[in-house]
Amino acid sequence: MTETQTRTIRTTPATSTTPTTSTSTTPTTRATRARPSGPALSPLGLFTVLLGAALPLIDFFIVNVALPTMDRDLHAGPAVLELVVAGYGVAYAVLLVLGGRLGDTFGRRRLFLTGMAAFGVTSLACGLAPDAWSLVGARVAQGAAAALMLPQVLATIHASTSGSRRARALSLYGATAGLSMVAGQILGGVLVAADIAGTGWRAVFLVNVPVALIGLVLAVRTVPETRSERPAPVDVPGTVLLALSLITLMVPLTEGRAAGWPLWTWLVLGAFPFVAAAFYVVERRADRAGLVPLLPPSLFAERGLRRGLPIVVPFSIGFGGFMFVIAVALQQGLRYGPVEAGLALVPMATAFFVASLLGPRLVGRYGSRVVTAGGLLQAVGIGTLMLAVWRDWPDLSLAGLLPGVALAGFGQGLQLPVLIRIVLADVPSERAGVGSGVMVTTQQSALALGVATLGTLFLALEPSAGMGDALVSTLAAQLGAIVMTLLLSLRLPRAVS
């Protein structure tokens, strides 16, 4: 293929909705999409961007085991504590797609460095917060910083790797994402219990500062600069409407129970479908007019994204809800300390890691059916855990928890890395930032929704049913989400790029 042909294909306008642009399966198009559009990403550079991916996900979950000590220290109350969790999650989810677009335009390495520096500063602000409302404000800023940094990770991988190196990098990203979500609560328990220099819960934020500094030094040396060859201006109407859509959905669901479901929560929630519909109409109109909207509907012409992304939603809702509920149940129901609560999840993290290492080899042989097998194993694990809770509560031991959480973790480790590969496999390099933003926004929003929905269900059932029965009912709801992922996985393309 000549250099001119390659350039022509790579710079095809991103807004075209013709079949030959979005869904062409010719060898020429596939070869072009597989090629990196910038300098190659070294192993140390991959480690650096994966470190940047781990920090925001760890911090979404690290506060779960620290909430009781925050409450005692700051006299926060349940509604404000919910905001400590929700403020980060909402700001993070709302700005992720915009962060991806800014990276496409101004350079992904530049935005990664900016986000990493801001994440370190805002983590310091969280750790030094003098009162509960200062902590809420710092957490919102921390979520915004994470939204600048995280989309650059997948976009950089997509733009600076190809072929088997890209597949391996995406598998490692999936493994990092899953491990970070589990490790966040393990690390949080250890740091709170250690009470380093009397910092207590503050250590869960202060630990980010030296890590961010190390990440900055490594990123300057090892992360290549990439950007879109046809950067588009910021879609202001789309950005505003996407932000309003996520806020009107996530804020009332997260704050409603703690605030007693006042009228404003129902009014805001009722506005969600109208704002979401307005967002879709505006984005579709811009796409058809030849502009580049924040979330181009034409991007969903890519089969992997169209079929893989709907599976990410129930998977992440179940994952996010489980991690929140299990932290509450272990600490308040079984009276585990922070370290014990963290240790209970070590089998899940270990099994996830092992499965994520086996995943690439299994995918080469069985394709996307690995996702289906992972869903079946996760379902068996959650069912085993339900049985243990029903039989042994409130005398459930760590040994009693082990089989269920280990099986669930192994199943999740087979699913998430492969799903990420499938979603992003066919996204052209020049749209890597947008595709990555869509992926992580969907994942983050669903994680937050899991905390809001399954967490609300658990906390609503607990006063009347007791914590053990409430946990069984919540796990049953998660099992329903797993069944949905199983059914959707049957529609995935069999071959995985």
Side-chain angles (χ1 to χ4, degrees):
M1 183 186 301
T2 66
E3 183 179 350
T4 303
Q5 288 173 318
T6 303
R7 188 182 301 113
T8 300
I9 295 172
R10 187 177 296 150
T11 58
T12 297
T15 56
S16 173
T17 58
T18 62
T20 54
T21 298
S22 300
T23 61
S24 174
T25 57
T26 63
T28 301
T29 303
R30 287 188 180 275
T32 302
R33 286 180 174 184
R35 294 182 181 179
S37 61
L41 185 66
S42 68
L44 186 56
L46 177 61
F47 170 81
T48 303
V49 294
L50 292 179
L51 178 66
L55 281 176
L57 292 168
I58 286 173
D59 261 60
F60 183 81
F61 290 95
I62 200 169
V63 299
N64 285 345
V65 292
L67 289 175
T69 54
M70 288 180 190
D71 192 16
R72 289 194 298 269
D73 190 15
L74 300 177
H75 309 289
V80 179
L81 285 176
E82 292 277 3
L83 280 175
V84 171
V85 178
Y88 177 88
V90 171
Y92 185 24
V94 161
L95 297 173
L96 275 168
V97 178
L98 178 61
R101 173 62 58 82
L102 292 175
D104 284 351
T105 303
F106 297 107
R108 292 153 189 152
R109 177 177 177 270
R110 179 180 297 178
L111 265 291
F112 182 83
L113 289 168
T114 302
M116 179 74 80
F119 193 84
V121 171
T122 52
S123 295
L124 180 63
C126 289
L128 299 178
D131 54 58
W133 285 106
S134 298
L135 178 58
V136 170
R139 281 284 282 173
V140 171
Q142 188 187 37
L148 288 180
M149 176 169 58
L150 187 61
Q152 318 315 325
V153 175
L154 279 172
T156 297
I157 289 172
H158 205 73
S160 58
T161 60
S162 62
S164 60
R165 292 186 67 245
R166 178 181 295 176
R168 180 172 176 273
L170 290 175
S171 295
L172 287 172
Y173 174 87
T176 300
L179 281 172
S180 298
M181 291 185 274
V182 180
Q185 292 190 191
I186 299 173
L187 179 61
V190 171
L191 289 173
V192 171
D195 193 22
I196 303 168
T199 53
W201 59 266
R202 298 177 187 275
V204 304
F205 300 116
L206 295 175
V207 71
N208 293 330
V209 178
V211 176
L213 288 173
I214 292 170
L216 283 170
V217 172
L218 289 174
V220 168
R221 291 175 167 267
T222 64
V223 177
E225 182 64 282
T226 63
R227 68 185 72 205
S228 174
E229 295 180 9
R230 295 176 62 88
V234 173
D235 173 15
V236 175
T239 301
V240 171
L241 286 170
L242 176 62
L244 288 175
S245 298
L246 293 173
I247 288 171
T248 54
L249 177 64
M250 294 168 63
V251 170
L253 286 178
T254 306
E255 279 294 292
R257 185 203 59 82
W261 295 106
L263 179 62
W264 71 264
T265 57
W266 297 108
L267 293 175
V268 173
L269 192 58
F272 164 71
F274 299 100
V275 179
F279 170 70
Y280 175 75
V281 169
V282 167
E283 296 298 275
R284 184 179 62 177
R285 184 177 299 162
D287 209 8
R288 290 179 173 178
L291 304 175
V292 185
L294 185 72
L295 200 165
S298 60
L299 195 64
F300 289 85
E302 307 293 352
R303 187 173 64 152
L305 189 144
R306 187 176 67 251
R307 295 189 178 182
L309 205 59
I311 306 178
V312 173
V313 175
F315 177 89
S316 299
I317 286 175
F319 201 131
F322 174 84
M323 297 302 292
F324 174 79
V325 167
I326 201 69
V328 174
L330 293 178
Q331 291 189 89
Q332 296 184 11
L334 298 180
R335 303 298 177 188
Y336 285 8
V339 173
E340 284 182 297
L343 287 175
L345 297 175
V346 168
M348 176 177 278
T350 304
F352 190 105
F353 180 68
V354 171
S356 66
L357 292 180
L358 294 174
R361 183 177 300 176
L362 293 173
V363 166
R365 185 168 182 179
Y366 301 107
S368 65
R369 292 299 172 259
V370 173
V371 177
T372 307
L376 286 170
L377 285 173
Q378 186 187 4
V380 172
I382 294 299
T384 303
L385 185 58
M386 288 172 61
L387 180 62
V389 172
W390 175 78
R391 185 186 59 211
D392 297 332
W393 193 273
D395 301 314
L396 186 61
S397 65
L398 288 176
L401 287 168
L402 190 151
V405 296
L407 271 173
F410 195 88
Q412 290 163 342
L414 290 179
Q415 292 174 85
L416 185 60
V418 182
L419 281 174
I420 291 173
R421 280 178 60 181
I422 291 171
V423 169
L424 295 177
D426 296 328
V427 176
S429 293
E430 68 270 11
R431 307 178 88 180
V434 176
S436 303
V438 171
M439 169 68 206
V440 293
T441 298
T442 301
Q443 182 187 35
Q444 181 61 37
S445 300
L447 288 170
L449 281 175
V451 174
T453 53
L454 295 183
T456 296
L457 174 65
F458 173 74
L459 295 173
L461 291 174
E462 188 271 331
S464 58
M467 192 163 288
D469 288 344
L471 180 56
V472 171
S473 298
T474 307
L475 290 173
Q478 183 188 0
L479 196 57
I482 296 170
V483 170
M484 189 180 299
T485 67
L486 278 170
L487 295 175
L488 290 171
S489 71
L490 299 176
R491 299 180 63 249
L492 290 172
R494 185 64 181 270
V496 179
S497 300

